[in-house]
Amino acid sequence: MLQIGVVMFVFAAAEGFVISSLPVPRLGLSVHTLSALQGVMLLAFGLLWPRLKLGAAAARTAFWTYLYSSFATLLAFVLAAVWGAGHSTMPLAAGAAHGSAFQETVIKVVVYPAAPTFLVAMALVLWGLRIGADAAA
């Protein structure tokens, strides 16, 4: 997770150079901010991960569901920024930017499954942070 977090920071820095050339610069700024936030989250989880009290299957599930939700959300925002679309899914970021019906549908199909997978990952991380009987001593 640490390496992926650093990659997200590099992506955020590089993407910052193209914000003004995107069809909707506000969406470009959203991509920039989101990728930086995800970089911080990945670094934090990378440092936290060894302390989680999760079995192998739960740890793998938390890891992959969090990565999926992060990249699906980022991909949806990148598509919206490049296409100048996304009003139906992310109206605060997209403003009045409406894409074709196909573009708006693709953005929805990519981003909507990210929410439940994020909740699964966060529930597992929260469960992994529980204080056990061995920690109370």
Side-chain angles (χ1 to χ4, degrees):
M1 282 193 162
L2 295 172
Q3 295 91 341
I4 299 168
V6 172
V7 168
M8 293 301 283
F9 279 130
V10 172
F11 175 77
E15 192 271 338
F17 290 110
V18 300
I19 290 172
S20 61
S21 63
L22 293 167
V24 181
R26 179 69 191 123
L27 277 167
L29 182 60
S30 293
V31 170
H32 179 72
T33 306
L34 177 62
S35 56
L37 171 66
Q38 288 176 341
V40 170
M41 294 276 297
L42 285 161
L43 287 173
F45 281 144
L47 295 171
L48 177 70
W49 213 258
R51 302 190 73 182
L52 296 179
K53 296 175 184 151
L54 294 173
R60 273 194 309 276
T61 302
F63 177 83
W64 287 111
T65 55
Y66 183 74
L67 280 186
Y68 173 81
S69 70
S70 293
F71 283 106
T73 303
L74 185 62
L75 177 60
F77 272 82
V78 168
L79 290 172
V82 169
W83 286 339
H87 177 77
S88 64
T89 307
M90 47 192 84
L92 291 177
H98 289 276
S100 68
F102 172 76
Q103 291 170 332
E104 296 288 338
T105 300
V106 167
I107 292 167
K108 285 180 185 177
V109 166
V110 170
V111 79
Y112 282 178
T117 57
F118 176 79
L119 294 174
V120 167
M122 292 302 99
L124 287 169
V125 168
L126 185 60
W127 176 253
L129 290 171
R130 68 194 180 281
I131 297 173
D134 54 33

